[in-house]
Amino acid sequence: MSRSASAAEIRSWDASLAALAADLEQAGLGGIEVLAEYQLPLSSKRIDVVLAGEHPRGGGPSYVVVELKQWTRASLFENEPELVVQPTYGPRPVLHPVAQVRAYGEYLLDFVGVLHGTSDVLAGAAYLHNATDDGVAALRGYPQDELGRLFTAQDRGDFHGFLRSRLSPANASVHADRLLRSSVAPSKQLLAVAAEELRTREQFVLLDEQRVAFDLVLHEVEKARRGDHKSVVIVSGGPGSGKSVIALSLLGELGRRGIRAVHATGSRSFTQTLRKVASHRAPRTRALFRYFNQFMAAERNGLDVLIADEAHRIRETSVDRYTPGALRGDPRRQVDELIDAARVPVFLLDQNQVVRPGEMGTVEDIEKHARERGLDVFQIDLSTQYRSGGSAAYVSWVERLLGLTPGGPLPWTGDERFEVRTASSPSAMEAVLTEKLAQRQNARMAAGYCWTWSDPRPDGSLVPDVQIGDWSRPWNLKGDRSVGGAPPAALWASDDRGFGQVGCVYTAQGFEYEWNGVLLGPDLVWRDDRWVAVRSANRDPDFRNTKKVSDADFDLLVRNVYKVLLTRGLRGVLVHSTDPETQRFLERLLR
């Protein structure tokens, strides 16, 4: 799907690309290949320019990542070396351009097949072509290396020398094509490296806003340790924008620094899976993963950092049927309990993933409660997309399809990074996903909660509750024990044995798999020119009480459910609706 550039982007390209082109000519490099707006694999993030040519020493391909900035002035954010304040962006900090370009290079080395195992093939430069040393003097102190060098207008001669040391025009088009056609290494799935992540943060490369969020939290932690200071950090972003990667990166780094930090969610499946994977070699790490309702009696500021992942699942109070009587008296708001529990509470959330009645985590609500306490609040918005093959276009298409953003459904015009198609039946969908499994690509099928959910039979076999025509399969297990060869509910999305059962939103939310099959049930159907939510077709016990969940609330919640289900895939998604009219509508859009 094509992307329209804004007027500001076009003006920026006109100025920066013209300056770079002049420099290349002056350096005698007019024959090298210039890849503008190069898209990172499995990400919606774009690099300003990648220069491709042959290495002057020894031959072979050579690439230079260039981040172009029109800045004339910049200073450090509160003397934090990796965070920068630049007048264009107002008071909010942005990432140091050298850190930005270095992270791009590390990401390419991780994910681009032709760069795997290479040495001295990739370099990086942040080029502030309008800046003088006086205007950006504070940025000079940041460490530089071959993947990240800083050049200003005053360094133009040095910049030319750097480029000549890395590039010659020989075979430039061949090497550029090789990069563009390279295979993409499989995504490092979050849960598969969680154990390592607790010991070494370098398992993931954090880019741009992700790194700003990470650095900002560490900055606020150090500020709190130096004095009696408390602040709140809110990180918002859509599915696949890297919220949980930031959460685990922080948990690993804070642990290495000896800072008291825990991770908490409102998701049983997510927490149980993190506990299992992260404690595989270090059982003590299980205690780092908590639930939101475990902070009712927490000591005020007893933690340095509380990382509230999936914070859209915050509920009004923590009181439930298991709460001891001593804590039931006058329950506080759950968001207040989480804010009070740590010097630096960090909330990571996506407001369009609220899928259960009573979930109420929003940026506005968290900020309101923090401001009422007189606390500083920092908000970072993650605009980059890493799930769905990095296709921000697909996530936008889903949101418009379901009416979660304005504009109405659009035909899917394609994106080479992510495959979207309908399946004529559940059996056809399952056949395609089975082929993917045979190719060692993981896959799952999930559905709206529109069928009865039975317990296993006495002999341990599962009841095939999800029946569509002559096809039927069981739901994933409800409990924490493996039964009949199926994994526990919390491990359905991450255990290979999960294929063969149909997952629901509660076991899929927070997870990702390469190939995603989604069955739209009869609780959301297309009629004429709009979606109709059919409450009577839904079997979710949480939606039964019409006093707690109005029809309007159900309509929004069921759309959010299908948004979550439709955005779990890394490589592609297959969709089938049990309703013939809805299926025909989807087939028209996905022709």
Side-chain angles (χ1 to χ4, degrees):
M1 185 174 286
S2 60
R3 183 181 76 97
S4 298
S6 67
E9 283 180 310
I10 293 172
R11 288 194 299 272
S12 177
W13 293 340
D14 284 345
S16 291
L17 291 178
L20 179 62
D23 283 305
L24 292 174
E25 288 291 345
Q26 292 169 23
L29 297 174
I32 66 169
E33 292 286 312
V34 179
L35 308 178
E37 290 290 296
Y38 176 88
Q39 185 145 11
L40 290 174
L42 299 177
S43 167
S44 61
K45 184 65 66 180
R46 294 171 183 268
I47 298 172
D48 285 345
V49 169
V50 176
L51 304 177
E54 189 152 291
H55 204 297
R57 302 185 304 275
S62 183
Y63 306 102
V64 178
V65 176
V66 182
E67 180 65 21
L68 298 166
K69 302 290 189 190
Q70 298 186 56
W71 301 355
T72 55
R73 291 183 296 122
S75 57
L76 297 183
F77 173 77
E78 299 183 3
N79 294 316
E80 188 68 37
E82 203 162 83
L83 297 178
V84 172
V85 176
Q86 205 280 327
T88 305
Y89 303 100
R92 70 178 178 88
V94 296
L95 192 62
H96 193 296
V98 172
Q100 182 181 5
V101 76
R102 181 184 292 127
Y104 289 163
E106 292 171 348
Y107 190 96
L108 289 174
L109 291 170
D110 274 344
F111 287 98
V112 177
V114 298
L115 300 178
H116 287 177
T118 61
S119 60
D120 200 31
V121 172
L122 191 71
Y127 186 28
L128 283 59
H129 55 85
N130 289 336
T132 62
D133 285 353
D134 289 343
V136 296
L139 275 59
R140 288 290 190 185
Y142 190 78
Q144 300 181 41
D145 57 22
E146 205 65 13
L147 280 182
R149 301 275 297 274
L150 178 68
F151 298 96
T152 67
Q154 287 181 236
D155 305 324
R156 186 166 280 116
D158 292 339
F159 182 53
H160 295 173
F162 169 73
L163 294 178
R164 284 193 294 264
S165 74
R166 302 293 317 183
L167 298 163
S168 76
N171 297 311
S173 61
V174 173
H175 298 314
D177 288 344
R178 194 168 168 222
L179 183 70
L180 292 172
R181 294 171 182 168
S182 172
S183 61
V184 175
S187 171
K188 293 180 177 180
Q189 293 188 34
L190 175 64
L191 298 173
V193 294
E196 278 300 307
E197 184 58 26
L198 294 180
R199 294 193 289 137
T200 169
R201 188 183 58 79
E202 286 74 14
Q203 287 294 322
F204 290 104
V205 176
L206 301 179
L207 301 176
D208 292 3
E209 298 94 343
Q210 293 177 329
R211 189 62 178 258
V212 170
F214 178 87
D215 286 342
L216 186 59
V217 171
L218 296 182
H219 176 79
E220 291 304 303
V221 169
E222 289 304 314
K223 190 190 296 184
R225 296 180 83 184
R226 290 195 302 267
D228 186 17
H229 182 76
K230 182 181 174 82
S231 57
V232 174
V233 179
I234 305 172
V235 182
S236 60
S241 56
K243 298 183 295 296
S244 293
V245 170
I246 295 169
L248 284 185
S249 295
L250 281 169
L251 192 60
E253 179 65 17
L254 293 168
R256 287 184 0 180
R257 297 187 181 193
I259 294 169
R260 298 168 302 168
V262 300
H263 178 283
T265 80
S267 166
R268 182 175 181 80
S269 292
F270 199 43
T271 299
Q272 290 288 348
T273 303
L274 287 173
R275 283 178 174 176
K276 176 180 182 293
V277 176
S279 65
H280 178 65
R281 285 175 288 190
R284 291 172 61 190
T285 63
R286 289 177 59 87
L288 296 174
F289 299 98
R290 307 285 184 91
Y291 296 107
F292 289 158
N293 63 1
Q294 292 182 307
F295 297 90
M296 297 176 70
E299 176 187 354
R300 187 181 293 268
N301 296 329
L303 294 168
D304 292 313
V305 181
L306 171 61
I307 303 166
D309 201 356
E310 302 266 300
H312 42 268
R313 304 199 69 170
I314 290 174
R315 305 184 76 84
E316 185 170 2
T317 77
S318 297
V319 173
D320 59 25
R321 56 181 173 167
Y322 303 110
T323 303
L327 297 175
R328 287 178 174 270
D330 185 19
R332 290 187 298 153
R333 290 283 298 270
Q334 190 172 81
V335 64
D336 291 330
E337 294 168 357
L338 298 174
I339 290 173
D340 289 347
R343 286 283 182 186
V344 183
V346 182
F347 297 89
L348 302 108
L349 61 98
D350 173 7
Q351 297 179 162
N352 285 333
Q353 285 200 50
V354 172
V355 298
R356 299 185 84 158
E359 294 178 347
M360 52 202 322
T362 66
V363 172
E364 292 76 14
D365 192 53
I366 295 167
E367 184 171 3
K368 171 178 175 288
H369 283 258
R371 298 284 188 201
E372 287 174 351
R373 286 166 163 68
L375 303 178
D376 292 335
V377 180
F378 299 91
Q379 192 204 338
I380 305 293
D381 180 61
L382 304 175
S383 58
T384 304
Q385 168 61 221
Y386 295 89
R387 193 172 290 149
S388 306
S391 177
Y394 171 69
V395 175
S396 175
W397 181 83
V398 168
E399 291 175 343
R400 287 190 58 166
L401 169 71
L402 296 172
L404 295 173
T405 55
L410 286 173
W412 173 249
T413 56
D415 188 325
E416 62 184 12
R417 288 159 296 144
F418 192 72
E419 186 173 329
V420 187
R421 53 175 156 150
T422 58
S424 59
S425 66
S427 56
M429 176 186 292
E430 190 173 45
V432 172
L433 298 180
T434 300
E435 289 178 6
K436 301 300 182 185
L437 289 174
Q439 298 166 9
R440 300 187 181 277
Q441 301 174 40
N442 63 343
R444 292 293 184 275
M445 292 179 70
Y449 198 160
C450 298
W451 293 268
T452 303
W453 201 319
S454 304
D455 292 324
R457 300 184 181 104
D459 63 0
S461 61
L462 305 182
V463 180
D465 286 315
V466 183
Q467 297 188 15
I468 303 171
D470 57 1
W471 180 91
S472 62
R473 290 292 180 272
W475 287 110
N476 61 255
L477 290 177
K478 296 179 181 178
D480 296 330
R481 297 178 58 191
S482 177
V483 176
L491 304 183
W492 169 82
S494 57
D495 191 309
D496 290 342
R497 297 172 297 165
F499 190 79
Q501 308 106 50
V502 178
C504 73
V505 68
Y506 305 128
T507 47
Q509 190 171 30
F511 299 95
E512 59 186 23
Y513 20 88
E514 288 174 288
W515 291 94
N516 181 20
V518 180
L519 300 171
L520 273 67
D523 57 348
L524 187 66
V525 298
W526 184 263
R527 291 293 180 265
D528 297 325
D529 61 351
R530 70 197 62 190
W531 289 105
V532 176
V534 184
R535 188 168 190 152
S536 60
N538 189 280
R539 298 288 181 269
D540 191 333
D542 284 341
F543 292 163
R544 288 177 184 165
N545 190 323
T546 56
K547 292 183 178 179
K548 291 184 178 180
V549 183
S550 67
D551 288 343
D553 288 341
F554 173 78
D555 179 81
L556 177 59
L557 288 169
V558 77
R559 293 171 194 245
N560 282 350
V561 163
Y562 284 114
K563 180 198 172 177
V564 170
L565 294 181
L566 286 165
T567 54
R568 300 301 95 195
L570 288 167
R571 296 193 177 196
V573 61
L574 287 86
V575 188
H576 175 79
S577 174
T578 60
D579 175 71
E581 184 175 337
T582 307
Q583 177 69 8
R584 289 193 295 272
F585 167 66
L586 294 171
E587 289 172 351
R588 289 196 301 273
L589 293 180
L590 295 172
R591 196 166 288 162

